[in-house]
Amino acid sequence: MYTHQSNVITQGKSLAETGKALIMIHGRGATAESILSLADYLPVKDFTLFAPQATNHSWYPYSFMAPVAQNQPALALALEQLDELVKNIKTQGVASENIYLLGFSQGACLTVEFAARHAQKFGGLFIFTGGLIGQTLLDANYQGGFEGTPVLITTGDPDMHVPVKRVEETVKQLESQGALVTKKIYQGRPHTITQEEIELACEIFEQVSSADKR
């Protein structure tokens, strides 16, 4: 039986001190520690960081473009784990607009799938090389509204795992739910996170921070 252990690494000051959370979701074959290292390059020193660890380093077994049924029950369990983490953060007094989500590759796919199924006003979504999950996208899966949540979504062209067409389909879905999406497609870029993508993410963090201080 496929199960995900609720293993979450927390870094930084407590939520009671920061009032802001960044959830970071690693890719296939990676670790919570590896995605947390990305925080060194982002303006998140006043955030509490959360990085769940997937069992056996994978959130679901097959491609995110496979029929959803092929990735069950692992996918459902992974989405449930992320939902429980967000709800736990909220019970500690943090509003959704102070919760940010970031993922790379398989982690980006899981992040955006969760967000579209539970759309609300998040602080920001950072989807580094990812898209909504499934062979085809079903409108009935996506609920709620983002209320202007800023979203950065990227991929390479071509990318060995994430086709541009799915990124474009994902952008259309997110915008239909009220997200403000920045899409970047990089010609010939390897399957990684570039410095430019980091800089774009930093700009979104800083824009949201500036808006909060008005």
Side-chain angles (χ1 to χ4, degrees):
M1 182 177 177
Y2 202 107
T3 61
H4 281 298
Q5 299 170 350
S6 295
N7 182 13
V8 181
I9 297 177
T10 305
Q11 186 171 297
K13 297 176 183 177
S14 70
L15 279 177
E17 294 176 90
T18 66
K20 292 188 290 187
L22 171 60
I23 300 172
M24 309 180 75
I25 311 296
H26 69 77
R28 189 191 300 271
T31 63
E33 290 88 352
S34 66
I35 196 72
L36 275 171
S37 67
L38 191 61
D40 294 341
Y41 305 95
L42 299 170
V44 293
K45 286 184 169 52
D46 58 344
F47 282 69
T48 306
L49 308 181
F50 297 85
Q53 174 63 54
T55 304
N56 299 322
H57 308 286
S58 178
W59 296 108
Y60 45 85
Y62 299 107
S63 165
F64 85 112
M65 298 286 289
V68 167
Q70 289 186 11
N71 277 314
Q72 300 293 19
L75 175 59
L77 290 165
L79 289 167
E80 182 180 346
Q81 184 179 353
L82 197 46
D83 188 36
E84 288 175 356
L85 177 56
V86 169
K87 286 177 177 175
N88 180 264
I89 291 169
K90 284 182 170 183
T91 62
Q92 297 181 62
V94 179
S96 65
E97 57 262 38
N98 290 319
I99 300 174
Y100 297 66
L101 298 101
L102 176 156
F104 171 64
S105 192
Q106 192 188 57
C109 297
L110 182 67
T111 297
V112 74
E113 183 71 18
F114 165 78
R117 288 176 180 240
H118 303 272
Q120 53 203 288
K121 186 170 179 57
F122 290 110
L125 304 176
F126 305 92
I127 312 302
F128 293 118
T129 313
L132 289 167
I133 296 172
Q135 187 175 37
T136 56
L137 303 185
L138 302 176
D139 290 343
N141 286 340
Y142 312 121
Q143 306 291 329
F146 285 112
E147 302 177 42
T149 297
V151 178
L152 174 63
I153 184 168
T154 65
T155 196
D157 184 15
D159 183 89
M160 67 179 76
H161 301 295
V162 181
V164 170
K165 183 175 185 291
R166 177 51 54 89
V167 170
E168 291 171 342
E169 290 171 336
T170 300
V171 169
K172 183 178 179 181
Q173 177 60 42
L174 297 178
E175 289 181 338
S176 76
Q177 292 176 265
L180 298 178
V181 181
T182 299
K183 177 188 75 175
K184 292 291 182 180
I185 309 298
Y186 297 95
Q187 298 297 320
R189 189 211 66 182
H191 191 72
T192 187
I193 301 174
T194 65
Q195 181 61 34
E196 181 180 335
E197 289 166 272
I198 295 293
E199 291 170 0
L200 288 169
C202 288
E203 288 177 13
I204 291 175
F205 275 110
E206 288 160 2
Q207 286 167 6
V208 174
S209 178
S210 296
D212 289 344
K213 293 174 182 176
R214 289 175 193 163

